[in-house]
Amino acid sequence: KALATFNKSLSARLPSREQILPVFAVTVDIVFTWTLYRMFWYIPSWLGDFDMLGVLSISAYVLVFAFLESAVIFGILLLIVILLPSKYFKDTFIPTGCTLMTIIGFSAFLLQRKMKIIYKLEFWQLILYPILLLASIFVLIFILSWFYQRFEFLARIVNAIAERMTVFLYIYIPLSVLSFVYLLLRAIF
């Protein structure tokens, strides 16, 4: 009975499937677009070092990792939804989540281009910066939630764009599954 009550309260805090799918699609689109861009950038050099089967294996690993990365990032987003009051995030989950994922994706793109900075950080900075990042994400959620509640027409525009991005899930998810099956068969045989 306690488990049923927990499941009921948890499902009440989570967004509906209709809200989850567009935000997951935006997350997957951002991660896969950047991953495919970088992968196609490196394929000519891979062809110089590996045969075609080796390049196919590396590409499969990259695609499976991109899907896992998308799932982990989206899982963290759902955890934040559970932790925050419904009026701050669940009620505007699609526009707030999509905007947040876009900002995080663009920030990761900029940070990846400056990876040498991370290697030069001291230990206290490695502890402090993630905490500040998490705090800024929470602040950003409150700001975006207020913004989309106040300007509903912008929320509708973001919702429409996110709904249209779900079509890419029909490409990226089967590509990830196919890559996983290929890697599994390669490991078995």
Side-chain angles (χ1 to χ4, degrees), residues 4-177:
T5 306
F6 174 74
N7 285 339
K8 193 174 189 180
S9 68
L10 183 64
S11 64
R13 299 201 53 84
L14 286 172
S16 67
R17 287 184 193 164
E18 292 79 23
Q19 291 175 308
I20 287 176
L21 192 61
V23 179
F24 182 64
V26 168
T27 306
V28 168
D29 289 347
I30 290 169
V31 171
F32 268 81
T33 300
W34 179 245
T35 299
L36 289 173
Y37 169 75
R38 296 296 291 174
M39 187 176 78
F40 287 128
W41 180 267
Y42 284 111
I43 282 181
S45 65
W46 292 345
L47 287 172
D49 296 331
F50 302 103
D51 61 349
M52 195 60 162
L53 197 59
V55 172
L56 188 63
S57 296
I58 293 170
S59 300
Y61 278 112
V62 167
L63 293 174
V64 169
F65 183 78
F67 181 76
L68 292 175
E69 183 181 4
S70 302
V72 167
I73 292 169
F74 188 72
I76 292 170
L77 186 70
L78 286 180
L79 182 64
I80 291 172
V81 169
I82 292 170
L83 295 175
L84 289 177
S86 295
K87 71 176 184 173
Y88 289 114
F89 198 10
K90 184 182 173 194
D91 294 344
T92 61
F93 182 68
I94 294 175
T96 303
C98 291
T99 306
L100 187 65
M101 287 296 116
T102 304
I103 290 170
I104 290 172
F106 186 70
S107 300
F109 163 74
L110 293 176
L111 183 65
Q112 186 177 14
R113 299 174 99 10
K114 302 285 185 186
M115 285 300 284
K116 293 178 183 176
I117 295 171
I118 293 175
Y119 299 131
K120 295 177 183 177
L121 293 177
E122 295 181 25
F123 181 73
W124 68 271
Q125 292 171 321
L126 291 173
I127 301 296
L128 183 64
Y129 288 161
I131 293 171
L132 290 174
L133 177 68
L134 190 60
S136 64
I137 287 174
F138 278 102
V139 169
L140 189 59
I141 288 170
F142 291 127
I143 291 169
L144 289 172
S145 178
W146 173 84
F147 181 78
Y148 285 123
Q149 286 174 355
R150 187 146 174 109
F151 302 103
E152 291 182 16
F153 71 96
L154 290 175
R156 285 193 300 272
I157 291 171
V158 174
N159 287 352
I161 292 170
E163 288 288 335
R164 285 167 177 78
M165 292 181 83
T166 58
V167 74
F168 291 108
L169 290 177
Y170 293 108
I171 299 168
Y172 293 143
I173 290 180
L175 197 59
S176 300
V177 170

